[in-house]
Amino acid sequence: MMKKTIYAALGVLVASVLPSFLLAQSAPVKQVKLSDFDLQSSALVSATGTELSSMKYHSPVYWFPVKVPSTVLTGLVANKIYPDPYQGLNNMLIPDASDQFNKEYNLEQYSHLPNDPNPWKKPYWYRTTFKVAAADKGRQFQLIFKGVNYRAAVWLNGKQIADSTQMAGMFAEHNLDVSNAINAGGDNALAVKIYPLDYPGYPAKEQLKALGPFYENGGPTGDIGKNVTMLCSAGWDWIPPVRDRNMGIWQPVFLRTTGAVTIGRPKLVTSLPNLPDTSIAKLSLNLTLSNSTNTANNGKLTISIKPENFTGLPVQFTQAVSVAANSGKMVELNADKISQLVIRQPKLWWPNGYGKANLYRIRLQYADVKGISDDTTFVFGVREVSSKASMVNGFVRRQFYVNGKLVHLVGGAWVPDMMVNRDSARYDYEMHLCRNANVNLVRIWGGGVTPPDAFWNAADKYGQMVWSDFWITGDTQGEFKGSPDWPLEGSIFVKNVESTIYRIRNHPSLLVWTGGNEGHARKELYDKMRSDIIELDGTRPFIPSSSGFAKLPEGWKGSWPDDMPSGVYSGGPYAWKDPKDYYKLADAGKDWVFKDETGLPSQPPYTTLPKIIPNLTWDKNLPFPLNNSWGYHDAATGAGQYDKYYDEMAKRYGAPSDIVNFSDKMQFMNYIGYQGIFEADGHKLNETGGVMLWKLNAALPSVIWQIYDWYLEPNAGYYSMQNACEPVHIQYNYDNSSVAIINRTHHATGSLVATADIFDINSKLIKSSKVEHVGLALNGVQEVIQLKEILAGTQGVSFVVLNLKTATGKAVSHNVYWLSANDDFKSLNGMKHAQVSAKVLKAEKGVSENKWTVQFTNNSNQIAFFVRPQLMKNGEEVMPSYWTGNYFTLAPHESTIVSVSAPVAKLGSVTPTILVEGWNLDKQTVVLATK
């Protein structure tokens, strides 16, 4: 009844580069993913783990089929037991893990378990069966659990393999030796008992009213912090409580088959010993060989290194190694002793915007007389990172360096999916969206999760530096509320920290470890975390907290290696601000010497609004088009102040005439809000360490704090960020009305031509300014044109159109502003129509993506305002789509060239079209083709 099959997730093949004697093996090293499980509550299953892990077990009750990884609630939603909690107010139809909370909201009535008002109190069983080939008899087997929440016990073929004291905490990887329990040549039964959080946490009040107040992050007491888990699963001001707190097998499970000796915990360090000269790179490799048999093993360790995403020659070498019976052996290899670990003229890994994210692949193979015993491979980058802290006007400022060069961090916080449901394709799409927005830094926020391997692989690929908080917040560990005594079991925290360091330390994307979000763990845990980072990694900086406002107690050690304070600052603003306000903050310095949390409400465009808010019926007691279900999706007051965001939109642009007009006017707010953040910071480029958003992405369909929504639809702010953070950029500075060039790169811009054209609301040219022979030799800022006097003489709304071109006329940067002395932009509602044509210049068909390059030309005498092309398939926008520019504005008779690409997996066999919309345009459709 419950027999399952398994499929190969990673078949490790024997490559032709190996010496011929190594090819004579009885069976390859295999790693297969166990994904087809059945799920049921222990409230309905009385059988023991021993009984459940027998092939003879037949259940008297129905079990729900689930695809692992899957939390319990994810599995029950997939089986239609509960409604989809991402949608509307469905989460209020699901009981919570807190008994008190259930009583307050009468949620007990929705429990699917008869006579159990709280269905998350008792453990759940996951069960599967699988076959193992007879040819694998006598080999070694490991069950690898990449992540469970919160505790687990494991039985295989009637034998208990691990108990709930060994497998605890959400972020530890568990590698279990099951060699003595596997039935090679027959069927195997696996039973996993998943326990709920030790302490479910008591959520704050539900956000059931639009424009009502937000309540306490992590609940009124922050008691979710007693566990080592996804702290925001108890609810935060952008995510409701996750009803089961994500209990379950939330990361993949693998069965690995090897020979007698296995390779463990490889640590690969790349160094550039002669910086700033990068012509020589040295590698060191440490790993453990474990022999789990009663016989000593003599063999050879073969290391091969080859380019992963560029062309180059591979290198390979072999070391003879012997491993004693039932023991482990540390192997240490370095460039001082092995010439193949010296790379001359290495292709370096650079963050997005500073160069290519070049990657190498290393393969580690151990072979004995029986053949290949173990074979593993991973991708790495040659790069070196560091940081420097300095005092600037009373504030410590931290700056970061990659390969000896200063990098300016632009990006933001990354939060987990509400029910941790992202897969590898989703991680790739989101990291690609980040790269396309000119993001170079993604921060793993401390109240969320350290993401699965697929996230890190995508970050490596797309040149995204990653700032990784550990699982501490000021709302749960005592800075604001909660207690420094939490988490209660310090040993679980330490094991999870160490497991995480081992798992992700080889990724070139990982820039910095952070002790937590706006707070600190208690001293013994903080000290252990800090020393583990130094001892187990020691290749990248550590800072105590994501906020310099969270002061370390006297006598505690600071950042590593400089022992200075963090030098980064949260604290917002989190509400919408006029761009002029961001310039005031940047000019004042203070906490904006490195602002790591600021953002604004971010209404998605109308394209996805009916998905974000399925019930769009207007409640006339609220501003149009809101109803109270908007509140559950974050249209509330609190830090984001959605009410003021709405009011400011209506004040500046006029009351919305319909729901599309509302959505479009909110895009104006998004565009200038995000433009203000990144251009204000950019005009102080070498005076700040960077600026980071709260936040980049969404945990569920939401209307706040995101540059793209849960459906991967960017809002207009995504594209103003993309524009503001481009490598060489022209911008208008609100603080002194100058036009400036920003060079974010490490090389000269060359000789450039800057122009500034000012138009009135009727598209009449008021003034044109042009400056030739401008540019910068290095990264920095250059003011080139002054517009103060000209703008002082204008009335009403003015458009400032900026262009930066090479001496030969090639476009480098294009930027547009709409300005009004009294911030009254209602005259935009009466703009005359413009006409824009689109010409497809190039169509490219790729293996994973198709791409089109399109020229848009304004053929009229009117400004074409806020032009928004969309890639369409069967009447729906293709998401994700990666545009090199969007929501752009064209002066009369001006042209721009942009490209768009999209995953083949999303396009299918249908040839898409481009829908062109704009504020003062008629809709038109452009036919595309692929070559």
Side-chain angles (χ1 to χ4, degrees):
M1 168 185 163
M2 298 169 63
K3 187 173 288 185
K4 303 297 176 194
T5 59
I6 56 180
Y7 65 91
L10 176 63
V12 184
L13 304 177
V14 180
S16 60
V17 297
L18 292 177
S20 59
F21 83 90
L22 293 183
L23 298 177
Q25 61 172 49
S26 57
V29 174
K30 293 180 290 188
Q31 184 163 298
V32 295
K33 184 178 179 182
L34 306 179
S35 60
D36 293 318
F37 281 75
D38 289 305
L39 172 74
Q40 189 50 273
S41 170
S42 63
L44 300 180
V45 177
S46 58
T48 65
T50 300
E51 294 167 331
L52 289 170
S53 62
S54 166
M55 288 302 301
K56 297 178 180 178
Y57 175 73
H58 293 281
S59 175
V61 299
Y62 179 76
W63 289 55
F64 302 107
V66 295
K67 291 285 188 182
V68 167
S70 171
T71 65
V72 172
L73 181 55
T74 293
L76 294 175
V77 170
N79 280 276
K80 311 297 184 184
I81 302 302
Y82 291 112
D84 182 355
Y86 295 90
Q87 297 299 315
L89 294 174
N90 284 351
N91 206 41
M92 296 305 298
L93 303 176
I94 305 172
D96 192 73
S98 164
D99 289 337
Q100 179 183 350
F101 192 84
N102 283 334
K103 287 182 170 60
E104 291 171 359
Y105 287 91
N106 195 26
L107 299 182
E108 296 169 331
Q109 63 179 313
Y110 301 114
S111 175
H112 75 288
L113 295 178
N115 308 312
D116 273 296
N118 183 341
W120 322 120
K121 247 185 167 178
K122 295 175 182 176
Y124 276 75
W125 286 103
Y126 287 72
R127 186 180 187 273
T128 190
T129 62
F130 55 90
K131 291 180 181 296
V132 172
D136 289 332
K137 200 161 190 172
R139 294 174 69 76
Q140 300 299 302
F141 298 90
Q142 297 165 312
L143 265 179
I144 301 170
F145 288 82
K146 301 293 284 187
V148 299
N149 191 33
Y150 183 64
R151 296 178 184 269
V154 176
W155 288 260
L156 180 64
N157 296 331
K159 297 180 180 180
Q160 183 162 10
I161 308 299
D163 65 31
S164 60
T165 64
Q166 296 166 274
M167 298 177 69
M170 191 173 186
F171 310 110
E173 181 175 310
H174 306 281
N175 194 324
L176 309 177
D177 185 348
V178 294
S179 303
N180 294 329
I182 282 284
N183 177 26
D187 293 321
N188 295 260
L190 172 66
V192 183
K193 192 175 190 178
I194 294 291
Y195 293 79
L197 270 61
D198 291 349
Y199 306 91
Y202 172 54
K205 292 181 181 179
E206 290 280 17
Q207 179 56 51
L208 297 176
K209 290 190 177 295
L211 308 188
F214 267 124
Y215 299 98
E216 301 95 337
N217 290 336
T221 65
D223 60 341
I224 188 77
K226 293 177 179 179
N227 312 277
V228 182
T229 193
M230 175 175 153
L231 300 172
C232 64
S233 66
W236 225 262
D237 57 3
W238 43 270
I239 181 175
V242 185
R243 295 306 185 205
D244 69 341
R245 305 295 187 268
N246 285 326
M247 69 179 294
I249 305 176
W250 76 281
Q251 289 209 45
V253 180
F254 297 102
L255 176 67
R256 186 169 176 83
T257 308
T258 68
V261 174
T262 56
I263 300 167
R265 291 179 174 170
K267 178 184 180 183
L268 183 67
V269 176
T270 65
S271 63
L272 300 167
N274 302 323
L275 286 173
D277 183 341
T278 60
S279 62
I280 297 287
K282 292 186 175 183
L283 277 55
S284 68
L285 175 67
N286 296 346
L287 55 87
T288 302
L289 295 176
S290 299
N291 181 2
S292 56
T293 69
N294 296 324
T295 306
N297 192 289
N298 299 311
K300 290 186 177 181
L301 180 67
T302 300
I303 312 293
S304 56
I305 298 171
K306 64 178 183 178
E308 173 75 1
N309 59 356
F310 63 93
T311 303
L313 297 174
V315 296
Q316 180 182 307
F317 64 94
T318 301
Q319 295 273 300
V321 186
S322 60
V323 189
N326 296 307
S327 67
K329 182 169 186 175
M330 281 291 299
V331 177
E332 298 181 1
L333 308 171
N334 61 65
D336 295 335
K337 297 177 181 177
I338 299 169
S339 62
Q340 291 91 339
L341 292 177
V342 177
I343 301 180
R344 302 185 187 281
Q345 303 302 326
K347 296 283 190 180
L348 302 182
W349 187 92
W350 286 103
N352 186 30
Y354 291 96
K356 188 178 177 184
N358 293 299
L359 294 169
Y360 293 81
R361 178 172 291 278
I362 187 168
R363 188 173 183 182
L364 315 174
Q365 295 160 310
Y366 181 85
D368 56 22
V369 292
K370 294 182 179 180
I372 293 181
S373 178
D374 203 1
D375 185 340
T376 189
T377 181
F378 59 91
V379 165
F380 71 96
V382 175
R383 65 99 183 91
E384 190 170 305
V385 300
S386 61
S387 77
K388 181 181 178 183
S390 55
M391 191 67 72
V392 181
N393 296 326
F395 281 75
V396 176
R397 176 193 66 194
R398 188 162 295 279
Q399 294 175 300
F400 290 89
Y401 297 79
V402 177
N403 302 329
K405 300 280 191 179
L406 177 67
V407 291
H408 190 80
L409 305 189
V410 286
W414 174 276
V415 295
D417 180 79
M418 181 170 79
M419 290 161 61
V420 290
N421 277 335
R422 293 189 181 102
D423 60 14
S424 58
R426 174 79 177 211
Y427 284 118
D428 190 272
Y429 294 159
E430 294 203 41
M431 287 296 97
H432 193 164
L433 278 167
C434 287
R435 183 183 72 175
N436 190 58
N438 288 318
V439 168
N440 64 27
L441 186 284
V442 175
R443 173 192 164 207
I444 303 305
W445 173 70
V449 304
T450 304
D453 298 342
F455 166 90
W456 297 94
N457 295 336
D460 294 342
K461 172 182 173 182
Y462 291 112
Q464 297 300 303
M465 296 177 284
V466 182
W467 159 323
S468 193
D469 290 2
F470 282 106
W471 323 288
I472 297 292
T473 77
D475 288 288
T476 52
Q477 268 72 39
E479 186 77 18
F480 312 132
K481 55 184 168 61
S483 169
D485 293 333
W486 303 343
L488 290 175
E489 289 193 50
S491 61
I492 295 177
F493 182 81
V494 170
K495 286 179 182 177
N496 279 244
V497 165
E498 292 174 351
S499 180
T500 298
I501 295 171
Y502 285 128
R503 181 170 70 89
I504 66 178
R505 65 185 178 183
N506 290 323
H507 287 278
S509 53
L510 180 55
L511 174 71
V512 58
W513 301 102
T514 309
N517 169 62
E518 299 179 330
H520 309 95
R522 61 183 178 270
K523 190 172 190 305
E524 67 268 23
L525 298 186
Y526 174 86
D527 287 346
K528 181 60 174 167
M529 177 204 311
R530 187 179 184 275
S531 64
D532 277 343
I533 287 167
I534 296 167
E535 293 167 16
L536 303 181
D537 180 10
T539 68
R540 45 180 62 85
F542 163 80
I543 60 175
S545 171
S546 69
S547 181
F549 294 124
K551 302 293 185 185
L552 272 177
E554 190 71 30
W556 288 32
K557 293 180 179 178
S559 300
W560 185 83
D562 58 28
D563 202 28
M564 292 282 286
S566 294
V568 298
Y569 304 90
S570 60
Y574 301 102
W576 189 90
K577 297 292 180 185
D578 186 280
K580 294 184 284 292
D581 294 329
Y582 293 118
Y583 274 82
K584 290 174 185 174
L585 291 166
D587 288 340
K590 298 183 180 178
D591 53 323
W592 275 67
V593 297
F594 196 129
K595 173 54 64 174
D596 70 4
E597 280 191 17
T598 187
L600 56 135
S602 312
Q603 179 68 37
Y606 181 70
T607 313
T608 51
L609 182 55
K611 297 178 181 179
I612 304 281
I613 310 291
N615 176 10
L616 282 172
T617 305
W618 176 33
D619 182 339
K620 294 188 178 181
N621 293 317
L622 291 165
F624 176 84
L626 275 57
N627 61 48
N628 281 326
S629 71
W630 288 63
Y632 210 77
H633 296 268
D634 306 323
T637 56
Q641 298 181 4
Y642 190 96
D643 52 338
K644 293 184 179 178
Y645 170 64
Y646 183 101
D647 291 346
E648 196 66 30
M649 174 275 293
K651 176 184 173 184
R652 288 169 178 251
Y653 299 104
S657 58
D658 56 48
I659 198 164
V660 176
N661 184 257
F662 158 80
S663 301
D664 290 345
K665 287 178 176 177
M666 284 304 206
Q667 299 318 303
F668 295 157
M669 300 291 286
N670 294 342
Y671 195 94
I672 65 171
Y674 284 106
Q675 182 185 59
I677 289 171
F678 289 101
E679 290 190 341
D681 177 71
H683 96 297
K684 296 288 185 181
L685 185 71
N686 290 334
E687 299 174 47
T688 74
V691 66
M692 293 156 56
L693 294 174
W694 180 261
K695 48 192 179 48
L696 293 169
N697 66 332
L700 77 163
S702 173
V703 299
I704 196 170
W705 295 326
Q706 58 196 355
I707 58 171
Y708 59 87
D709 67 27
W710 193 74
Y711 296 98
L712 306 183
E713 172 72 279
N715 62 64
Y718 174 100
Y719 289 104
S720 64
M721 177 184 183
Q722 178 194 66
N723 182 260
C725 299
E726 63 188 340
V728 180
H729 179 62
I730 189 168
Q731 69 181 50
Y732 168 77
N733 288 338
Y734 281 87
D735 56 351
N736 65 0
S737 302
S738 67
V739 175
I741 299 170
I742 315 295
N743 180 18
R744 294 180 180 271
T745 73
H746 292 140
H747 52 78
T749 62
S751 181
L752 302 173
V753 179
T755 59
D757 297 322
I758 300 176
F759 297 85
D760 67 13
I761 189 65
N762 297 312
S763 302
K764 178 184 176 182
L765 181 63
I766 299 171
K767 176 73 175 180
S768 182
S769 301
K770 180 178 180 179
V771 180
E772 298 181 335
H773 307 300
V774 296
L776 295 103
L778 296 169
N779 55 318
V781 181
Q782 180 185 36
E783 294 185 359
V784 293
I785 299 173
Q786 180 52 248
L787 299 180
K788 192 169 190 175
E789 289 186 14
I790 302 165
L791 290 172
T794 61
Q795 294 183 343
V797 175
S798 300
F799 292 94
V800 176
V801 180
L802 305 179
N803 280 289
L804 190 64
K805 298 182 178 181
T806 66
T808 57
K810 182 181 178 181
V812 174
S813 177
H814 174 77
N815 204 353
V816 176
Y817 301 80
W818 51 103
L819 306 175
S820 170
N822 60 359
D823 294 326
D824 185 342
F825 299 98
K826 297 183 189 70
S827 60
L828 292 173
N829 295 309
M831 283 186 73
K832 295 178 182 178
H833 265 51
Q835 294 178 338
V836 169
S837 63
K839 180 182 179 182
V840 180
L841 302 180
K842 192 175 184 181
E844 301 167 76
K845 193 168 186 177
V847 175
S848 60
E849 290 183 359
N850 292 342
K851 181 180 179 180
W852 295 268
T853 303
V854 185
Q855 182 179 54
F856 292 93
T857 300
N858 181 359
N859 299 308
S860 68
N861 294 323
Q862 304 297 322
I863 286 172
F865 185 45
F866 231 50
V867 180
R868 184 192 173 204
Q870 300 159 65
L871 192 67
M872 306 293 289
K873 171 189 167 184
N874 299 331
E876 294 279 334
E877 186 174 5
V878 178
M879 293 177 279
S881 297
Y882 310 111
W883 289 89
T884 58
N886 214 312
Y887 292 95
F888 49 81
T889 295
L890 297 174
H893 305 288
E894 186 176 37
S895 295
T896 190
I897 296 174
V898 299
S899 66
V900 60
S901 62
V904 171
K906 293 292 186 180
L907 294 169
S909 59
V910 176
T911 299
T913 59
I914 292 178
L915 173 65
V916 183
E917 296 182 307
W919 180 253
N920 61 335
L921 300 182
D922 292 326
K923 290 183 181 181
Q924 62 175 299
T925 298
V926 180
V927 178
L928 296 173
T930 55
K931 293 182 179 178

